[in-house]
Amino acid sequence: MKPVNIGICGLGTVGSGTFNVLQRNCTEICARAGHDIRVTHVGARRDNPACDLNGVVVERDVMAVARAPEVDVIVELIGGCDIAKDLVMLAIENGKHVVTANKALIALHGNEIFAAAQAKSVSVHFEAAVAGGIPIIKAIREGLAANKIEWLAGIINGTGNFIMTEMRDKGRAFDDVLKEAQELGYAEADPTFDVEGIDACHKLVILASLAFGIPLQFEKAYTEGISDIAPADVKYAEELGYRIKHLGIARRTDAGIELRVHPTLIPAKRLIANVDGVMNAVLVSGDAVGPTLYYGAGAGAEPTASSVVADIVDVARSMDVVNDEQRVPALAFHPGQVDVDDVLPIDQVHTAYYMRMSAMDEPGVVSKVAQILSDAGVNIEAMIQKEPAEGVKQVDLIILTNVVVESALQTAVKSIETLSAITGTVHSIRVESLG
């Protein structure tokens, strides 16, 4: 078999992890691929002392790796979208297969990239772009190929999950835990992508594209972060038998596709509710198999390298196909797979809700709140009304609602906030059973 020559572009955490896993497990990897897999080129601005680059061509210009005629597969691990996109498009133009761990690149530019790859009869693989070492892309595309995927929900950002776990286990405030996450290296100096859900949203749109056969539509997804979650919300959720997780949720409905990232109350008995710390998990429900759960490390050098190398093996196997036209590129979507591919606006989504409000301890408040909810078509499933402490005139009123369209709930919230007995804003968090 012809050796498969690899060019790794980017020698940071994941790049060095990939290089070292390929070197360390070379015998097993090559046997599984049916080819001798060799890293012949590396594109990086500087060397990484963790990697022995003897015998490897090192280029400071990553584009030179994409042009090298002897390289068969470009592994893009530099991150970002500008240089990375140029590199991937150049590699495709030069007839090279691409493996990437870049979720933002795929979520924002995947449609264009896949079209270019199909035109050149090369493939683009991106297992490591979602949930690190968890092989969720292969599970959806291959293991669940017989199923009509009904919905999926995932803890797909380890930073957010670490923060929510610490808030629950130790009663800490968001800002306090975020500072520790930054000190531990879980969160960046600017944590916006993690705590506001942008990182998770990149991953969610990729999963939804695969699950439902729709184009990548990041701009239509709803994103909400966890910075407004208070310790009180975490405590009350526990009292009600729930836990708060920052979830990415995609669901197929008759009206369209739900595509949303936000804090969510889920029953504490669910397995995914017990995924803690920086770990990731994705729950996928198919019509034939039912709910299936995929759990593991969502980041890190070697967990992510595990997925990168698995894609390299897939590419090597595909190179045995004699007729290029028979090689199916790893498209994220297949037009025509679903009848409805519209992404629903968040105000058209149906879900249950948790509500927390500060109310004056006086007669008639609860009945007024209940009447407003009833007028909006919102039924109350459960309620907690705390006794006020001595000398305190305000109490927390906690309500769980039935499933209702978001627009109705938000209308009710605005009306409740106008009541003189309600102080401040009404805090609402969506609730999902995931059953």
Side-chain angles (χ1 to χ4, degrees):
M1 291 287 184
K2 175 183 178 295
V4 178
N5 294 331
I6 308 298
I8 296 178
C9 294
L11 209 60
T13 299
V14 178
S16 61
T18 299
F19 182 91
N20 289 328
V21 168
L22 281 168
Q23 301 298 101
R24 185 176 72 236
N25 298 338
C26 181
T27 300
E28 292 88 348
I29 292 167
C30 293
R32 290 164 183 158
H35 288 265
D36 183 16
I37 295 177
R38 306 181 304 192
V39 178
T40 60
H41 291 66
V42 163
R45 291 182 179 177
R46 60 186 65 86
D47 293 344
N48 188 323
C51 301
D52 181 1
L53 298 177
N54 286 327
V56 177
V57 176
V58 179
E59 300 281 4
R60 299 308 178 198
D61 177 9
V62 294
M63 301 302 170
V65 181
R67 297 188 186 97
E70 61 271 36
V71 172
D72 302 302
V73 183
I74 290 294
V75 180
E76 183 279 306
L77 300 173
I78 59 179
C81 283
D82 295 334
I83 296 175
K85 182 186 176 185
D86 291 342
L87 172 68
V88 167
M89 296 300 284
L90 179 61
I92 291 170
E93 180 62 29
N94 281 277
K96 303 183 191 306
H97 303 284
V98 173
V99 172
T100 179
N102 194 328
K103 65 263 185 183
L105 178 69
I106 298 299
L108 300 177
H109 304 290
N111 297 331
E112 178 185 354
I113 289 169
F114 297 135
Q118 189 167 32
K120 297 293 288 189
S121 295
V122 296
S123 56
V124 177
H125 292 252
F126 47 94
E127 180 67 66
V130 180
I134 304 174
I136 187 62
I137 302 297
K138 288 180 175 60
I140 292 175
R141 191 169 55 208
E142 300 170 20
L144 300 177
N147 290 259
K148 179 178 182 180
I149 304 299
E150 297 166 332
W151 56 265
L152 61 87
I155 298 171
I156 44 182
N157 181 272
T159 301
N161 199 42
F162 171 80
I163 291 172
M164 294 310 307
T165 300
E166 288 291 302
M167 291 180 69
R168 185 194 75 228
D169 289 350
K170 300 177 183 177
R172 300 169 65 187
F174 170 83
D175 290 339
D176 179 39
V177 184
L178 174 59
K179 182 179 179 181
E180 181 183 356
Q182 290 171 319
E183 292 171 352
L184 292 171
Y186 296 152
E188 302 290 340
D190 179 359
T192 302
F193 267 51
D194 291 323
V195 301
E196 297 304 331
I198 299 169
D199 173 81
C201 194
H202 286 148
K203 300 167 185 175
L204 181 68
V205 298
I206 296 171
L207 292 178
S209 179
L210 289 162
F212 306 133
I214 60 175
L216 295 148
Q217 300 176 75
F218 175 79
E219 70 283 355
K220 294 184 180 180
Y222 173 79
T223 306
E224 180 182 321
I226 59 174
S227 55
D228 289 335
I229 301 296
D233 295 317
V234 178
K235 180 185 69 172
Y236 289 133
E238 291 283 327
E239 288 186 31
L240 290 162
Y242 291 84
R243 289 182 176 174
I244 302 176
K245 293 293 184 181
H246 199 204
L247 294 185
I249 299 172
R251 179 177 282 112
R252 182 200 304 261
T253 75
D254 291 339
I257 302 296
E258 297 179 7
L259 196 57
R260 46 196 171 96
V261 175
H262 51 69
T264 311
L265 268 72
I266 53 179
K269 63 183 179 181
R270 301 289 184 216
L271 286 174
I272 197 170
N274 295 281
V275 173
D276 291 334
V278 295
M279 302 302 284
N280 280 198
V282 181
L283 186 60
V284 184
S285 181
D287 67 330
V289 73
T292 55
L293 181 67
Y294 308 85
Y295 167 88
E302 295 211 346
T304 307
S306 173
S307 290
V308 172
V309 174
D311 277 346
I312 293 172
V313 170
D314 277 355
V315 172
R317 289 169 176 166
S318 76
M319 293 175 71
D320 293 334
V321 177
V322 176
N323 185 350
D324 281 347
E325 293 181 358
Q326 295 176 355
R327 183 184 295 120
V328 180
L331 296 176
F333 69 95
H334 304 276
Q337 184 176 327
V338 293
D339 296 327
V340 178
D341 65 359
D342 290 335
V343 175
L344 291 175
I346 192 63
D347 64 0
Q348 295 180 28
V349 168
H350 288 73
T351 185
Y353 288 86
Y354 155 99
M355 305 171 68
R356 174 174 60 86
M357 61 199 78
S358 181
M360 298 297 295
D361 182 33
E362 60 186 41
V365 177
V366 173
S367 62
K368 290 177 182 178
V369 171
Q371 186 62 54
I372 289 174
L373 290 172
S374 178
D375 290 345
V378 182
N379 293 326
I380 296 175
E381 295 289 340
M383 180 183 295
I384 298 175
Q385 183 179 9
K386 295 292 186 179
E387 290 293 326
E390 186 175 349
V392 176
K393 297 182 179 180
Q394 295 175 330
V395 295
D396 282 343
L397 179 61
I398 310 301
I399 295 173
L400 280 185
T401 78
N402 67 340
V403 174
V404 64
V405 66
E406 170 116 2
S407 58
L409 190 284
Q410 294 306 326
T411 296
V413 166
K414 291 178 182 178
S415 296
I416 292 170
E417 289 176 342
T418 65
L419 295 175
S420 59
I422 301 298
T423 59
T425 59
V426 175
H427 301 273
S428 61
I429 305 174
R430 297 167 191 86
V431 180
E432 294 284 345
S433 65
L434 301 184

